[in-house]
Amino acid sequence: MASIDTAQAPPRGFSFNDPVVRGVIYQVVVAVLVVAFLVWIVNNTAINLKAQNKTSGFDFLWKTAGFDISFTLFPFDRTSLYWQAFLVGLTNTILVAAIGIFFATIIGFTVGIARLSSNYLVSRLATVYVETIRNIPLLLQLFFWYFAVLKTMPSVRDSLALPLDTFINQRGLFVPKPIPDEQFVWVWVGLAVALVLWFALRQWAKARLEKTGKRFPVFLGGLAMTLVIVGLVWVASGASVSFDPPVLNRFNFKGGLELPPEFVALVFGLSIYTAAFIAELVRGGIQSVSHGQTEAAQALGLQDGDRLRLVIVPQAMRVIIPPLTSQYLNLTKNSSLGAAIGYPELVNVFTGTTLNQTGRAIEVIALTMLVYLILSLGTSAIMNWYNARVALVER
């Protein structure tokens, strides 16, 4: 058989008409322009600061702040440093964001499912809630909850008594304060061990289901296991928790835990507002699931709750999670509106008071932007990890 001599194609030389070469040139030019623009900004900023006799740097963080903060999670007074004020604003922001995401998710999923209810009254009420809340600006809603609701509450002497030794008045919400003893740390250790075993139980149940087709009640089993482990550790360690209830004195409550009206209004406003958007995401995600899935679940004899929990919602989550991530990010960033009602979050404490006292605008703004960037990237990473776990795997 005659061999076929295949000649290799000659290497291509440099040619601007080559799309590959042209693409590289465009990228290099754009990169040079971006770097030049950044250098110009830095140089121009340095010149302006020098002309105004302003110093730069982050040394101000180790200077005395000289102001008080109304709501903190750890001790802070006028002798504290600016970096401690930064931590107060950061922790207050994370606290509001975490609580807001928790309640917004629960309310949003509940309202979203209610919108698809066969009960006319339930579905109409859910629709009115969604269409009303999401079409009113969030800042206006915060003003409403703060000035029109909480600030019109009775005075301290005429506080409204709620269940479980809880009181609400113009100064905020007063709840009993839990005080665990030194042995309670073992209860936390037992809870951590129980959660690890719960995860292992879930993996075992999943492997058992794939092998035998038999389903194991993971939630009820894991919950029972957690309660037993925590209970045994609690009894064995002798741990105890006492509650310090708020007691009305002459001018104010003594004891307990005081939640200021700014905190309550911000958490409530963010939760209610974001839940309206989450409800629409849930409704759209459920409606994206083929009706044949519901019919197949009915043919298997599943009840309405089981169909929703085992068949419809798990498939809808693949559609819900990506836009749900955006709502979580929006809620975290919208917490900065707490400055409008006096809640000491990061923008209020650091970008407001700290910036006014130190004059370090560039450093303060840069740190604040970096914090929100890290919080957003962290939230996105967690949600993307979860999205990858529930994503449909193609074979």
Side-chain angles (χ1 to χ4, degrees), residues 329-350:
L329 299 181
N330 289 337
L331 187 148
T332 303
K333 292 179 287 188
N334 286 338
S335 65
S336 61
L337 293 176
I341 58 176
Y343 177 71
E345 43 73 50
L346 185 62
V347 172
N348 188 356
V349 173
F350 202 62

Side-chain angles (χ1 to χ4, degrees), residues 120-196:
Y120 179 82
L121 181 60
V122 171
S123 63
R124 290 302 95 189
L125 288 176
T127 301
V128 170
Y129 163 78
V130 170
E131 297 301 329
T132 301
I133 296 299
R134 71 174 185 165
N135 287 298
I136 299 177
L138 175 58
L139 184 59
L140 185 59
Q141 294 188 40
L142 293 180
F143 286 158
F144 171 78
W145 296 119
Y146 182 66
F147 293 106
V149 177
L150 293 176
K151 281 301 182 181
T152 59
M153 286 288 175
S155 61
V156 175
R157 286 184 171 276
D158 301 322
S159 300
L160 296 178
L162 303 178
L164 303 177
D165 288 329
T166 302
F167 301 89
I168 187 170
N169 53 54
Q170 292 178 347
R171 297 187 180 181
L173 184 66
F174 295 82
V175 299
K177 180 179 180 180
I179 305 177
D181 62 0
E182 296 180 354
Q183 300 297 325
F184 199 80
V185 65
W186 295 108
V187 178
W188 292 115
V189 174
L191 178 60
V193 172
L195 293 178
V196 173

Side-chain angles (χ1 to χ4, degrees), residues 112-120 122-123:
I113 295 174
R115 286 207 64 183
L116 300 175
S117 174
S118 57
N119 187 301
Y120 179 82
V122 171
S123 63

